[in-house]
Amino acid sequence: MKELLYIGAGGFLGTVTRYSIQLAIPTVHGGPLGSAVNQCDGQSFLGWFFTIAVPGKITPQLRLAIGTGFTGAFTTFSTFTLDIVRLSEEGEWISAAIYMIVSLLAGLLLCALGMSLGHRMLGAQRQEGAAS
């Protein structure tokens, strides 16, 4: 039951952060730029976080709060799909398709880059520990 509190606290912060970014970034030609920025940021962060969040370094509660709660609320898939449906309903089929394809490809690439950064950070820590 405590796990739900950690997820909820992280989710609250992720939602507030997502909404703040969407308010700060204007809509461009009816397109969901704020949502795209959130998705890209979230994908790279999640790849990085779950790479460095190794057991023994980060508590399971913190993994739940940040990984599941914060990032899950920050990169909500429902907002992504709603943006695509809205663009389609407005007759912006090409924009909807581009947004969908670019978001998917960028998400995969950024997640991989985040994981790569995490692996490099962990490797650097191991090398520092071996040199001591």
Side-chain angles (χ1 to χ4, degrees):
M1 189 64 168
K2 286 184 181 178
E3 291 84 6
L4 295 177
L5 295 175
Y6 295 114
I7 294 168
F12 171 77
L13 294 173
T15 301
V16 169
T17 304
R18 175 175 44 89
Y19 184 70
S20 298
I21 290 172
Q22 287 177 316
L23 287 178
I25 298 175
T27 301
V28 178
H29 303 293
L33 185 57
S35 293
V37 169
N38 287 343
Q39 293 297 341
C40 289
D41 288 345
Q43 301 310 327
S44 57
F45 174 77
L46 194 62
W48 171 80
F49 179 73
F50 274 107
T51 300
I52 64 146
V54 294
K57 289 192 175 228
I58 295 178
T59 66
Q61 295 84 1
L62 192 56
R63 274 179 71 109
L64 281 174
I66 294 173
T68 304
F70 178 83
T71 311
F74 184 71
T75 62
T76 177
F77 187 72
S78 58
T79 301
F80 169 69
T81 55
L82 179 64
D83 290 337
I84 293 169
V85 169
R86 283 185 176 162
L87 285 169
S88 299
E89 287 179 343
E90 294 168 4
E92 297 289 333
W93 292 99
I94 293 172
S95 294
I98 290 170
Y99 175 58
M100 181 174 56
I101 292 166
V102 169
S103 293
L104 178 62
L105 295 176
L108 291 168
L109 175 65
L110 290 167
C111 184
L113 288 173
M115 291 174 71
S116 177
L117 176 63
H119 286 299
R120 279 190 249 147
M121 289 173 68
L122 290 174
Q125 289 175 355
R126 286 186 196 115
Q127 288 177 353
E128 287 174 10
S132 300

